[in-house]
Amino acid sequence: MTKSKTTTDHEHIRAWVEARKGRPARVKGTANGGLLRIDFGAPDENLEQIPWEEFFEIFDRNKLDFLYQDKTSSGDPSRFNKFVDRKQERRSS
């Protein structure tokens, strides 16, 4: 069984994303900086790639945690990730 982890560490997040050939992005047309996403593979037309500095400004301003898994149940690198509210994540831990 794989276990999910959370972090707010910018360098850890960036290393995890780049190790999986992902790119920082946000949903096009969203207000207040946007909804953050990690774009893997071919660029998604619904996402706008943004620089890491802007990505982490939005991440910190919205007080988010990065929820992720390192490996799949078969042991391969996992791409599972999601952005969650820090307060909500802390309450459920």
Side-chain angles (χ1 to χ4, degrees):
M1 182 173 170
T2 61
K3 181 175 170 135
S4 296
K5 304 173 190 177
T6 59
T7 187
T8 59
D9 183 272
H10 294 187
E11 290 305 313
H12 185 81
I13 295 167
R14 185 173 181 162
W16 186 94
V17 170
E18 291 178 347
R20 290 155 178 81
K21 302 195 184 330
R23 297 167 305 283
R26 67 175 163 207
V27 176
K28 286 182 181 176
T30 53
N32 299 325
L35 297 171
L36 295 178
R37 298 289 185 266
I38 303 299
D39 197 9
F40 296 102
D44 183 324
E45 66 184 41
N46 297 316
L47 299 178
E48 170 186 15
Q49 289 186 29
I50 57 174
W52 280 111
E53 297 78 22
E54 185 176 353
F55 179 89
F56 286 122
E57 284 174 20
I58 296 167
F59 180 82
D60 290 337
R61 182 175 58 239
N62 291 312
K63 296 180 175 39
L64 298 173
D65 268 342
F66 182 67
L67 177 71
Y68 67 101
Q69 289 178 335
D70 282 322
K71 298 198 179 279
T72 63
S73 58
S74 64
D76 295 321
S78 175
R79 287 186 176 175
F80 171 78
N81 72 91
K82 151 174 153 170
F83 298 97
V84 295
D85 179 70
R86 285 181 198 166
K87 293 176 189 172
Q88 178 184 2
E89 182 60 29
R90 301 279 188 261
R91 283 192 299 256
S92 65
S93 296

